[in-house]
Amino acid sequence: MPEVPPTAELQHHIQALAACRKCPQMRSTPVSGGPVRSKVMLIGQAPGVREPLMGRPFAWTAGKTMFKWFWETVGISEAEFRVTVYMAAVCRCFPGRGSQGGDRVPSRQEIENCSTWMQAEFALLKPELVICVGRLAIGRFVEPLPPLHDLIGKLFPAVRWGHRFDLVPLPHPSGASPWPRIEPGKSLTRTALELIRDHPAWRSRTDFPRQESHGIPADSG
Ligand code: SF4
């Protein structure tokens, strides 16, 4: 599937995001998947300690598991995924370690601060399919949050910021929870991936009218 050139607006958005320093408790600068023009948006929770160093989301163990899921059930490689799916997150900076040893859960204020970036991305990209990874991300769209076995393997029609889309939740692939590795989580995760694979927006995620693919007129030389 071909990548499409980003619009100028999307490039500006990514540059502005990279410069954001709104949250003083965050322990890294923002991590972005880049200005990928797509009808499909993946929303993670927040980067871990490795992602800022590697300069991309889902760059370490959780990413390895998630991209293995996509390869095995959806048939897409990590490389193709990264250039045909827009990757967002509830918070774009590494929150630091929490008191229990894992990564700190971002505060309500930090989540609110960062939601302005996501709102702008919905306005720019108008995603038709949104894949939320992990309960923090799913909880931004589904309230109250039911148990995972009532969420995973289902598609939810959703509206946010005046925009309609289909939401498919995935469990978090970090390995902290065995849920995706044991039944019924294993089968439900596979069902969720099949819903993504068979969704019309997935198959046409980089299909845009040619003149809309560029931020400059086609005849500008
Ligand atoms: S978490 Fe989001 S809002 Fe806060 S500094 Fe990082 S990019 Fe900015």
Side-chain angles (χ1 to χ4, degrees):
M1 179 166 285
E3 319 168 33
V4 289
T7 60
E9 289 85 357
L10 189 55
Q11 286 179 312
H12 291 152
H13 172 83
I14 294 295
Q15 286 165 3
L17 170 61
C20 183
R21 301 291 184 272
K22 226 181 280 180
C23 306
Q25 302 302 318
M26 286 293 177
R27 289 292 170 263
S28 80
T29 51
V31 176
S32 153
V36 176
R37 189 151 183 236
S38 178
K39 298 175 188 175
V40 180
M41 182 184 291
L42 179 124
I43 301 176
Q45 303 196 134
V49 68
R50 304 271 186 170
E51 277 75 11
L53 303 173
M54 302 186 76
R56 57 186 192 274
F58 286 99
W60 203 244
T61 49
K64 283 189 176 61
T65 300
M66 185 183 79
F67 289 120
K68 186 165 175 279
W69 291 349
F70 274 93
W71 174 248
E72 289 176 349
T73 302
V74 184
I76 185 172
S77 68
E78 175 179 346
E80 187 181 359
F81 190 102
R82 287 190 183 278
V83 296
T84 62
V85 175
Y86 187 87
M87 297 179 76
V90 174
C91 283
R92 314 303 169 94
C93 300
F94 171 52
R97 296 292 188 193
S99 56
Q100 306 296 318
D103 292 352
R104 177 175 69 83
V105 178
S107 69
R108 185 181 295 267
Q109 184 61 57
E110 288 168 336
I111 291 171
E112 281 309 310
N113 289 349
C114 220
S115 73
T116 58
W117 296 113
M118 200 189 297
Q119 182 173 358
E121 285 152 358
F122 270 65
L124 284 168
L125 291 161
K126 301 180 176 54
E128 295 172 20
L129 174 63
V130 174
I131 304 164
C132 284
V133 183
R135 291 180 67 87
L136 189 70
I138 302 165
R140 298 297 293 156
F141 298 92
V142 181
E143 286 182 312
L145 203 53
L148 275 182
H149 60 259
D150 287 334
L151 276 171
I152 309 299
K154 294 183 178 161
L155 182 146
F156 299 85
V159 180
R160 178 57 56 93
W161 298 303
H163 176 68
R164 286 184 187 280
F165 55 95
D166 287 336
L167 171 71
V168 175
L170 285 176
H172 203 278
S174 69
S177 162
W179 194 88
R181 299 194 299 272
I182 55 177
E183 296 298 353
K186 196 171 170 182
S187 296
L188 291 173
T189 301
R190 185 177 176 84
T191 301
L193 291 159
E194 288 168 350
L195 286 171
I196 294 167
R197 180 195 64 197
D198 297 339
H199 195 283
W202 178 262
R203 295 198 298 270
S204 66
R205 63 193 178 278
T206 59
D207 290 352
F208 294 99
R210 187 172 169 77
Q211 66 274 21
E212 288 184 18
S213 296
H214 298 269
I216 53 175
D219 62 352
S220 65

